[in-house]
Amino acid sequence: MPNIKSAKKRVKVIAVKTARNKAANSALKTEIKKANAAIEAGAADKNEAVKAAIKKIDQAAAKGLLHKNTAARRKSALAKKANA
């Protein structure tokens, strides 16, 4: 446990940021799973699901949760799977 005032504040700030990142990552994974499920089921709304997942991936990359190349790779994989 930190003794210095600024270190105590950092602990609080990091806890908030960790919670925010965790929620965003969870939402991202959920959206990708929904898109994959829609693609595999051949659902009528699979294009909308893929579009929503790609948007989430872009948002995660913009927030710094994903590296831009990782985001590009995941989007490419989704699109490839959707078009196959």
Side-chain angles (χ1 to χ4, degrees), residues 1-81:
M1 196 66 209
N3 294 323
I4 298 166
K5 188 177 181 183
S6 62
K8 288 178 183 176
K9 183 180 179 185
R10 291 308 308 159
V11 168
K12 288 181 186 177
V13 170
I14 289 168
V16 170
K17 286 187 175 188
T18 300
R20 189 176 294 142
N21 286 340
K22 209 169 195 179
N25 266 323
S26 178
L28 172 67
K29 286 179 186 177
T30 302
E31 209 61 53
I32 291 172
K33 283 179 189 174
K34 281 182 189 175
N36 281 328
I39 290 168
E40 287 175 17
D45 65 336
K46 76 175 182 180
N47 286 337
E48 285 80 27
V50 169
K51 220 180 255 187
I54 287 176
K55 184 177 180 182
K56 275 282 186 206
I57 292 170
D58 283 335
Q59 287 174 340
K63 288 178 184 174
L65 290 172
L66 292 178
H67 189 273
K68 65 178 182 135
N69 290 351
T70 304
R73 190 176 64 246
R74 289 189 182 179
K75 289 188 328 189
S76 173
L78 257 181
K80 194 174 184 181
K81 199 182 258 191

